[in-house]
Amino acid sequence: MRLLIVGTLDGHIATAGRIALEKGAKVAHVDSAAAAMEALRSGQGADLVMVDVKLDVGDLIDALNAERIFVPVVACGIGNDSRAAVKAIKAGAKEYVPLPPDAEMIGAVLAAVAEETTSVLTHDPRMAAVLKLADQVAPSDASVLITGESGTGKEVMARHIHAKSKRADKPFISVNCAAIPDNLLESELFGHEKGAFTGAVARRVGKFEEAQGGTLLLDEISEMDPRLQAKLLRAIQEREIDRVGGSKPVKVDIRVLATSNRDMEEAVRQGSFREDLYFRLNVVTIALPALRERPKDIPMLADHFVKKYAAANGVAAPALDPEAVARLSAHGWRGNVRELENCMHRAVLLAADGRIGGEQVLLQ
């Protein structure tokens, strides 16, 4: 995880940075919001920004939003200053961390806000076979297409492949192609020059350049506009990109992974996805089974999420009663692992007397 700390934090910058480093983060520091924007535009990148409340948190968040730099912001300040905390949260900060920093709190914030995990947990033979294939192809530079229903853990699998690759010490950058409007996705991927369009107030490095040396995940790529697919194909083939408004191409060295919850071959037949791009991305396909197709994983994942959310809420992990496990195992899980995670989060909050019974398992 890449952490960018903004401001002096009243001398606690070294402590906060050291704690984050010990938790596995890569830490950078700048003194001002303007310097933070410059760093993020230039491709330095961050998975989390920690900003001193003495700076104008709202202005920084507005600037990030205006330039479509999507990164969670956590505010920090001396002691439990409720007024500063409320102001920062209202401005858009995800959390407020009091200083001096507490190691457990810093760790919890890094885990809860960034949620960077490369652990693929399984006890089921079908999923074990999929994981074995992923481990076999991970050391190569081959493009991988990861398919599966929503909530099956496609991005987690992509992170796992990156962590097992020879690029593991380089950036892992993810772009959700379904969440960004078509007219903005080109700039998001390839960057732009100052003045290239209304709102382009400075040169902005795109995700291809930000991922230099590492891995770029194109999440839900089947939602990409066909016009942009042509430019993407060229970028992958030629290993170079053109910034919007740029005058010369930029060389890139990245590995491309992609995910989709749709039938890609059907999308090709219907003409909504380019066949040549499909074959370029589909060197290896990893098809993730739905949770209902890997039943042996349900109790194990349920226990994992109980422990996760008990720790996040500062309580002892409640035990799962056999009745609760039976209800979980019998459910269809249309939302897959994501639905199970939400279910166990609720169950932890509703647990009584250190246990989760059938009545605490609220299914949708």
Side-chain angles (χ1 to χ4, degrees), residues 84 123 134 164 179 208 282 298 322:
H123 283 167
K164 296 282 186 176
F208 265 83
N282 189 28
I298 294 173

Side-chain angles (χ1 to χ4, degrees), residues 125-323:
R126 181 167 179 178
M127 188 63 184
V130 173
L131 188 57
K132 181 180 179 181
L133 173 61
D135 288 344
Q136 286 179 309
V137 303
S140 74
D141 261 348
S143 298
V144 178
L145 178 62
I146 305 170
T147 63
E149 296 178 8
S150 294
T152 49
K154 296 187 290 295
E155 182 167 347
V156 173
M157 179 59 77
R159 290 184 181 276
H160 175 83
I161 292 171
H162 172 72
K164 296 282 186 176
S165 76
K166 61 187 178 183
R167 298 174 179 266
D169 61 339
K170 299 298 183 180
F172 175 92
I173 304 299
S174 176
V175 182
N176 189 330
C177 300
I180 303 172
D182 293 335
N183 61 328
L184 300 179
L185 184 56
E186 181 177 3
S187 171
E188 190 72 18
L189 289 172
F190 304 117
H192 61 254
E193 298 292 342
K194 181 178 179 179
F197 51 83
T198 302
V201 297
R203 170 186 283 185
R204 165 88 180 276
V205 166
K207 298 303 183 183
F208 265 83
E209 289 180 82
E210 192 176 330
Q212 182 69 16
T215 302
L216 176 64
L217 171 63
L218 300 171
D219 200 15
E220 302 301 350
I221 194 169
S222 49
E223 305 305 313
M224 182 180 289
D225 182 83
R227 180 192 62 82
L228 191 52
Q229 291 174 26
K231 188 167 183 177
L232 174 61
L233 177 63
R234 178 183 176 277
I236 296 173
Q237 287 178 330
E238 305 299 329
R239 291 185 174 271
E240 64 180 27
I241 56 100
D242 295 300
R243 294 195 191 111
V244 178
S247 58
K248 61 180 180 179
V250 179
K251 291 290 184 182
V252 291
D253 172 25
I254 62 171
R255 182 187 195 176
V256 175
L257 307 179
T259 75
S260 177
N261 60 11
R262 292 175 56 189
D263 183 333
M264 292 294 289
E265 291 189 359
E266 180 62 24
V268 170
R269 285 193 292 270
Q270 292 178 353
S272 62
F273 200 84
R274 292 178 63 108
E275 184 176 45
D276 47 6
L277 177 57
Y278 171 65
F279 287 124
R280 175 64 64 173
L281 293 170
N282 189 28
V283 176
V284 179
T285 295
I286 294 179
L288 296 185
L291 184 57
R292 61 185 173 275
E293 297 170 344
R294 42 189 282 210
K296 290 186 178 180
D297 282 347
I298 294 173
M300 179 269 298
L301 288 171
D303 184 65
H304 167 73
F305 292 133
V306 165
K307 291 174 180 176
K308 172 182 175 179
Y309 287 106
N313 286 278
V315 299
L320 276 167
D321 282 1
E323 181 188 356

